[in-house]
Amino acid sequence: GNSVTQMEGPVTLSEEAFLTINCTYTATGYPSLFWYVQYPGEGLQLLLKATKADDKGSNKGFEATYRKETTSFHLEKGSVQVSDSAVYFCALRGGGSNYKLTFGKGTLLTVNP
Amino acid sequence: DADVTQTPRNRITKTGKRIMLECSQTKGHDRMYWYRQDPGLGLQLIYYSFDVKDINKGEISDGYSVSRQAQAKFSLSLESAIPNQTALYFCATSDYSGGSTDTQYFGPGTRLTVL
């Protein structure tokens, strides 16, 4: 079956530091890949997505590239802000009509001023 | 206004009580989902519905039931709540139009505590 493994947190950074949160996956077929963000006390929000190999998703300064050869979708941001403090979830959706989202366990990011 | 709303946002109840969590959406999506989030476990799918007449069990449906009252409304019930159902519950919607994306959009969540 499908699975997602993301780096365990918590991750603590200073403002303006570079961020990488690793995500690797196992899936059959051609999955779509997602990063969701959950700010404190809120629901999950879609941060970015990529639907095929070599696609780069980007939003709010975050980027992730769908790497089929390494089955990875690492999240990066060049300069984090305090407001980026949240839990980040990597997820995949199987190809075709497969409805199911498979989530990683989440990575808590704390950015200090 | 939010596209996906959940009520209540917080609920404390006692063991054995029947609880209903409600979800409404204005996105016009056919597909709706209920997830449960526990600390350190990510999200687990409870039930999903592809349209009003199509309801399916997810990974962890035991102890839960659902009702799809309309395209825009999908309710989750705990017939007899137990403490290990204490969790954060999320509703989500998506619109499958034959493409591969079928992005899911989440509500704000309901925090349920069973004493």
Side-chain angles (χ1 to χ4, degrees), chain B:
Chain B
D1 290 338
D3 294 319
V4 184
T5 57
Q6 294 183 232
T7 56
R9 294 295 311 278
N10 289 281
R11 181 71 183 267
I12 299 173
T13 191
K14 295 182 179 180
T15 297
K17 295 291 187 181
R18 184 178 188 274
I19 296 296
M20 179 180 286
L21 309 182
E22 298 186 338
C23 176
S24 295
Q25 53 112 348
T26 59
K27 299 184 77 67
H29 289 171
D30 289 327
R31 296 184 168 190
M32 298 187 73
Y33 311 80
W34 275 104
Y35 289 91
R36 166 179 172 154
Q37 183 183 28
D38 296 280
L41 292 181
L43 275 76
Q44 297 173 280
L45 183 64
I46 306 173
Y47 270 95
Y48 63 100
S49 170
F50 283 176
D51 65 40
V52 174
K53 296 182 179 179
D54 181 18
I55 293 177
N56 305 279
K57 293 182 178 180
E59 303 166 292
I60 55 164
S61 59
D62 287 348
Y64 302 94
S65 62
V66 291
S67 174
R68 185 82 184 267
Q69 299 95 328
Q71 186 206 36
K73 295 184 181 297
F74 193 35
S75 300
L76 176 72
S77 293
L78 288 67
E79 297 301 326
S80 179
I82 56 177
N84 75 3
Q85 291 178 312
T86 294
L88 192 53
Y89 290 85
F90 288 103
C91 175
T93 74
S94 70
D95 181 21
Y96 180 70
S97 56
S100 62
T101 305
D102 194 19
T103 301
Q104 293 188 19
Y105 297 89
F106 286 77
T110 294
R111 185 169 297 281
L112 176 66
T113 302
V114 183
L115 301 176

